[in-house]
Each structure stands twice: as C-alpha cells, then as structure tokens.
Amino acid sequence: MAPSPRGSSFSRVLLLVLALSVALLAPVPAAATSVFRVRRKFPRHGGAEEAEEHLAGLRRHDGRRHGRLLGAVDLPLGGVGLPTETGLYYTRIELGAPAKGYYVQVDTGSDILWVNCIRCDGCPTRSGLGIELTQYDPAGSGSTVGCDQEFCVANNGGVPPTCSSDSPCQFRITYGDGSSTTGFYVTDFLQYDQVSGNGQTTPSNASITFGCGAQLGGDLGSSSQALDGILGFGQSNSSVLSQLADAGKVPKIFAHCLDTVHGGGIFAIGNVVQPKVKTTPLVPNMPHYNVNLKGIAVGGATLQLPTNTFNSGANQGTIIDSGTTLAYLPESVYKTLMAAVFDKYQDISIHNINDFLCFQFSGSVDDGFPMITFSFEGDLTLDVYPHDYLFQNGNDIYCIGFLNGGLQTKDGKDMVLLGDLVLSNKLVVYDLENQVIGWTAYNCSSSIKIEDDKTGSTYTVDAHNISSGWKFQWHNSWILLFVITIWRYIIF
C-alpha cells in the first residue's frame, strides 16, 4: 500500500513521548492534562513454580499472537515486554466530547483503534489488571459510519459492502486462536494535548474513525487480562496514524525506543534527525512490517543456510513485530543457530521448559556466549547480545528467547518473526512515507531530536521516568508515561 503523501504546508510534528518506569500496578486516576500512562499488562513472577507457569503463559501469548499474524487478520493483538515480565503494554486514551477514558493495548501490528461498546455481548465488565473498564457509548458525540461511506468501502477492499446505505458499516474479525470481535465503525474525537511552549500544552482533538465492538468471543472476552480495546499503529489507511497524517496533523513516520534496563523510553511521531538511523526497505504490499533478511552470523561467523531460506512470499519472509515478545525462526535455521550458540558448551545440560531451552550458567552471559547478527537488505544489521536473547529465570538459570517456528502453526513454520526480544534498547523508526524501517542501538533513557518539517527546526524529545512520583518496586509492573504533544503549524 502506497504511503499517504505529507502535505507541504504543514510544519506540525506530533510527538508521542512514552516514558516507561517501574511502579506499582494500581489504578491511575484520570490526568487533567491528558497524559496517557501505559503499563505492562503482567507483573514479574518470583519463585520457581511461578516462573514455570510464567513461561507457559508467555508461550500461550506468543502462540496466540503468531496465529493471529498468520491468519487472514485485520486486527491482531499485541504489545511489548520482557520475557520475564510477559509484557504487553496498555495506555489510557480519551475519546468523545466530553471525553471519557479507555484502556487500550498499544500495538504496531494492528491497524485500527477499537473499543468495546455499551451493551456489548461477551465484553468483560471487570479486569484482573486492577483497572476500571469503560464501554464506549456512540450515542454521545459519535456518529455511525454508513455502508456507503468512503471509509467503509475502503475497508471492504474498495467494494461497497452488501448492505443498505443507511445501515452501519460492520466488521468481524476471527483470529487464528478462535477469538473474535464484531461491531461497527463510528467517528468521534480523539483528545490530546498540543504543545504551546516549553513544557506547556493546550488541549486539542482530532476527528477519527474507529471500531465499536459489539460482541467479543474467545480470549478477547476473558476478564483476567481484559482491556477496553486496541490502539493500532499499523500502516494501513484505517490506522489512527494514517488518519492523523491524512488530516495534515502529522507526518506518517513514528519511532519507539523502549528501555528494559533503566525503565525509560520514547515513542514519537515525526521525523527523527538524531540519532541517525540506517534503514532497509519494507517489502511492498504486505499487511505487516515485512523486511528482507539476508543472513545470520553467530560470533562473526555467517551461518551456512540454503539460499532460499529467507525468501519473501506467502507464509515466508521476515516480520518486525513489537507485539511479539520473543523471536521465532524456521526449524532448520533454529537448529543451526542453537548449534552455533552452544558450540563451546557441548556438555551443558539443557532442559526443555514449555518449549524453552533452559540451562544453568554462572558468570556473565555476555562473556560466555556469542553475539548474534541479523543482516538485512541495504547493509542494515541488527545485533542481538547474549543478555538480550538469554533471559534469567531463577538463580543461575537462563532460557533462550529464540523459539522453533516449526512448533507453531504449519503456515508459519518458514517465517522469521522478530519481536521485542531483539528490538528492545534500540531506537526503531518506521518511515511509512518512504516505505523503510530502521534502527540503531540507543540509550532509551536519553533523548532524541525531531525535525519540524516546515521550519527545519529541531526539538529535543526526552525520555521520561516517572518512578520518582511512585513507590519504586522493581519486581512489580512497569509504567509508561504516554504524552501526546503537537507543535504548531502554519497554513499558507
């Protein structure tokens, strides 16, 4: 899908600054300044029994995620997190006038924003996450999208759906794990804060179209980890990002930098000028962020693999997906990679725990194990250090974050799926205007510079860590501070 062109008359840059910190998992009161706090969906687990169940839960999450990505999916679920945290992230957004708050998962793998609607069938009314769920009422300031409207036709493959013009535009999505959502589209206001000076903001809003969920099925209706919906940052024209770009509010470029070391982070919409990021082309006409992987090296030695191993095509290729926690490789690649990683530890005792390879090791894993390097088209590389792909799961017990894709659904056994295991602690830039994606290793607790595309001025966007305002508890959940800021623009 070709990107929407950026209007030359706009110098506004939308900055969505996400600050991660470690904090208590307690309900967050509505913020008067429309600051969106995004938190990890699951807390860290402690003892051995909890750790094993935690691994099982992690596999279930990624298994469901994998099925959703590989099916004919319009709205996969996702998020981000450390393996030992089982982390999806969610944020609180505000919709309508007057605005009401909704907790939604943040996901680069899905396109539209959708929330559960009032009188929803099968939608949970309580959440095990300790948050208050709210069902959206379209009878407020919202308006229903009709079958004959452009948004509806575009989301039906460009063909008018078989319903009368005065009927609501409906959607139904069935995921690979059997869960589903059904509803209709509405248009209403998304509330945000506009930057009016250094450290100063003024309230603003934009009209967007999103899904109103009328019925949920399967895991989506479970109350244990229930949220109000999903906020997608995919590349289709139906995404919130695309709608804001089409309205001249933002360029169609965003970046994230999630710090799993210090608990800080940045999420920004706008042209990142510092640090410089090398890019690789996105594979055209793909529903996800697909790239061309050329090879893998372990400790500097390139793995000897068949030349067609990383071909792009149906049920093949490489997907960059922040909604997947781990990384999945075709079986032949996985076995070759594991042999190279453990080459000097032939006698090490490896145990299988919920399809994870785990072992006992004392000392520094960075000193004891090799770095893994993925090479992509355009001479872009992605370095994955031992402390990235080996996560501690108890005293001197480590598990490998790479999993055998052959154990997934048969349609995905030949795919490479790279999740936050390899993306954390890197600035990742999604430039949909030029159809490229890139990254660089970065201190996500520092800052980046965003360019105002009209004036050429640059603005520093700092990472935020709000742990000083909370009781610091490393073993409890993370929190993101999700601040939307917009720089003024001039219309000629």
Side-chain angles (χ1 to χ4, degrees), residues 278-284 291-295 312 374-381 437 439:
K278 200 168 188 177
T279 61
T280 187
L282 289 168
V283 179
V291 292
N292 289 311
L293 178 62
K294 296 298 185 181
S312 294
F374 293 84
S375 298
F376 299 86
E377 180 182 353
D379 200 29
L380 176 65
T381 59
I437 185 173
W439 49 76

Side-chain angles (χ1 to χ4, degrees), residues 108 241 252-257 266-282 289 291 320 380 423 426-442 448-450:
T108 60
L241 174 66
K252 209 171 179 180
I253 307 169
F254 72 97
H256 61 68
C257 193
I266 303 169
F267 191 108
I269 291 182
N271 184 25
V272 179
V273 295
Q274 187 179 334
K276 296 294 184 182
V277 175
K278 200 168 188 177
T279 61
T280 187
L282 289 168
Y289 293 113
V291 292
I320 303 295
L380 176 65
L423 299 177
K426 297 174 179 67
L427 178 69
V428 184
V429 176
Y430 303 75
D431 185 348
L432 304 186
E433 296 188 350
N434 295 299
Q435 285 293 285
V436 295
I437 185 173
W439 49 76
T440 186
Y442 201 63
I448 63 175
K449 289 186 181 297
I450 298 287

Side-chain angles (χ1 to χ4, degrees), residues 21 35 55 58 101 106 117 120 151 202 245 251 260 285 308 315 328 361 368 375 379 399 426 466:
S21 73
V35 172
L55 289 180
L58 179 61
V106 180
C117 268
C120 172
F151 186 93
T202 55
T260 61
N285 304 316
N308 64 345
N315 301 324
Y328 296 82
F361 185 82
S375 298
D379 200 29
C399 296
K426 297 174 179 67
I466 60 172

